[in-house]
Amino acid sequence: MKSTIIKRRMLFLLVCTLLVFSCTKKQTEEIKQPQKNIIVGFSQIGAESAWRTCNTQSMQDAASASGIQLLYDNAEQKQENQIKAIRSFIVYQVDVIVFVPIVQDGWDNVLREAKDAGIPVIIIDRKMRVADESLFTAFIGADHIEEGRNAARFLLKKFKDEDRNFRILEILGTEGSSVADGRYAGFREIINTDNRFTITASIDGDFLRSRGKEIAETYLQENPELPFDILFSHNDGMALGFIDVLNNTSIRPGKDIVIVSVDAEQAAIDALKEGKINCVVECNPKIGDLVIDMVKKLTEGKSIPRTTNISENVFTEWDDLSLLPLRGY
Ligand code: AHR
């Protein structure tokens, strides 16, 4: 009798041990189970500005911090390279495609291919025009029309008490891009409410500092007397290129010519502090975390907002910028 009880107890203990062991083993297996490896194809337009380099870095940092594999392609300013990259992401069957449309038109076919392959597409920074809006899932980026408005609002405020006329030279960003169109439209929307201001010339600068320099050289050669009062540059790089040339003349940037630009890269903030630029409208390139967060939500089957705009600042000659942290671009 006693030995039967002992045997039963031993059997019970054995069953319990097996149960605990199998439970532990199962839990361990679940923990070790690798999470789905998310792969994102990212087509960037190039490295035309400090802004762009920072934008790329922000995407790469955010992806690696989240353990997401980012297939990065630099299109070197060519739409056809972006289309090729998107096609290769489709062949690779990435989970999500993220890209910056260099220009607004010409994406329908490749995006239909992505849609047919069941791959969601997020566009960042720049917008595009497609016949079928369902070809992309979301846009994340700045409101470029508002940036243009803010540039003009600064001028109206700066000259509110002056009874004279102002000639404006505008240096445009990449032709056909939503960002150049947005800044162009927003600027006019506000500046045209005041007939003291006339945009006397609009010249394509392609967002390149070298183009800003070229434009200044040509323009000043053809019009040696001060040909305008205000420079509105669609980005800092082009404004800084323009200032490089002015620095070799007797024309004082920020004084003889009022300069407003967009991006707020460190070099422009420094020029603002030196009095060579009067206003810098921020365009924030550090959107990597936000984009990767949306990617994660999408891959978890959650819905994401169709449009996410980033809030941005305006830095002016009236601000105390001594405590402004370094911009990082
Ligand atoms: O699309 C954003 C613009 O592109 C930035 O203002 C400019 O610097 C960049 O190259």
Side-chain angles (χ1 to χ4, degrees), residues 16-281:
C16 282
T17 311
L18 284 174
L19 269 176
V20 168
F21 180 72
S22 74
C23 262
T24 314
K25 196 164 172 252
K26 195 160 176 250
Q27 275 168 7
T28 316
E29 270 170 1
E30 270 168 12
I31 290 164
K32 276 192 184 158
Q33 202 67 252
Q35 282 185 328
K36 188 183 169 333
N37 185 20
I38 300 170
I39 303 175
V40 173
F42 174 43
S43 165
Q44 178 60 284
I45 62 178
E48 74 283 3
S49 61
W51 190 100
R52 185 65 53 202
T53 307
C54 177
N55 180 244
T56 303
Q57 193 61 51
S58 165
M59 282 292 295
Q60 289 172 333
D61 290 350
S64 93
S66 292
I68 286 178
Q69 194 184 338
L70 193 76
L71 303 181
Y72 166 70
D73 185 85
N74 176 341
E76 289 169 356
Q77 308 300 319
K78 291 199 175 83
Q79 182 177 30
E80 68 256 33
N81 289 348
Q82 287 202 284
I83 292 174
K84 265 190 217 151
I86 294 170
R87 290 213 164 103
S88 73
F89 298 150
I90 296 171
V91 170
Y92 202 82
Q93 293 186 307
V94 299
D95 297 288
V96 180
I97 291 172
V98 176
F99 84 106
V100 180
I102 184 164
V103 289
Q104 295 186 77
D105 298 316
W107 303 103
D108 298 65
N109 290 344
V110 73
L111 292 187
R112 200 156 293 118
E113 291 164 32
K115 191 178 177 189
D116 291 346
I119 302 174
V121 172
I122 298 178
I123 53 170
I124 66 166
D125 172 31
R126 298 188 184 177
K127 291 189 170 172
M128 64 187 169
R129 269 186 294 253
V130 278
D132 172 3
E133 289 285 311
S134 76
L135 292 179
F136 67 97
T137 305
F139 164 78
I140 303 165
D143 179 345
H144 299 306
I145 300 176
E146 188 62 9
E147 290 167 351
R149 289 187 193 119
N150 281 335
R153 282 181 189 123
F154 165 78
L155 294 170
L156 260 50
K157 188 169 172 192
K158 178 170 174 70
F159 296 117
K160 67 177 180 342
D161 298 324
E162 293 201 29
D163 184 20
R164 62 184 174 110
N165 293 328
F166 301 93
R167 298 156 300 170
I168 302 173
L169 168 65
E170 180 183 33
I171 306 186
L172 305 162
T174 303
E175 198 185 339
S177 66
S178 67
V179 55
D181 287 1
R183 288 173 189 166
Y184 178 100
F187 186 73
R188 279 161 182 72
E189 184 187 312
I190 301 297
I191 215 74
N192 288 343
T193 61
D194 187 327
N195 58 18
R196 290 173 304 157
F197 295 91
T198 309
I199 301 168
T200 50
S202 264
I203 304 174
D204 181 14
D206 208 10
F207 286 126
L208 297 170
R209 185 169 180 147
S210 56
R211 281 287 297 139
K213 250 182 179 174
E214 269 170 35
I215 292 167
E217 279 157 0
T218 317
Y219 208 73
L220 293 172
Q221 219 164 30
E222 288 168 4
N223 312 270
E225 84 297 352
L226 198 57
F228 55 91
D229 312 286
I230 294 165
L231 172 68
F232 169 46
S233 172
H234 282 204
N235 86 344
D236 291 340
M238 299 185 295
L240 293 165
F242 204 97
I243 293 170
D244 287 342
V245 176
L246 291 181
N247 283 338
N248 297 321
T249 71
S250 58
I251 303 168
R252 295 166 307 162
K255 295 190 177 61
D256 302 321
I257 295 175
V258 167
I259 299 181
V260 183
S261 76
V262 188
D263 274 359
E265 67 177 68
Q266 188 61 47
I269 295 293
D270 293 343
L272 179 60
K273 287 182 186 166
E274 276 179 70
K276 292 188 171 187
I277 289 185
N278 306 79
C279 170
V280 180
V281 177

Side-chain angles (χ1 to χ4, degrees), residues 281-302:
V281 177
E282 184 185 36
C283 180
N284 185 356
K286 298 177 188 172
I287 55 175
D289 286 336
L290 192 57
V291 176
I292 292 300
D293 198 46
M294 300 282 187
V295 163
K296 283 198 260 178
K297 284 192 176 133
L298 265 187
T299 56
E300 285 161 9
K302 296 181 184 155

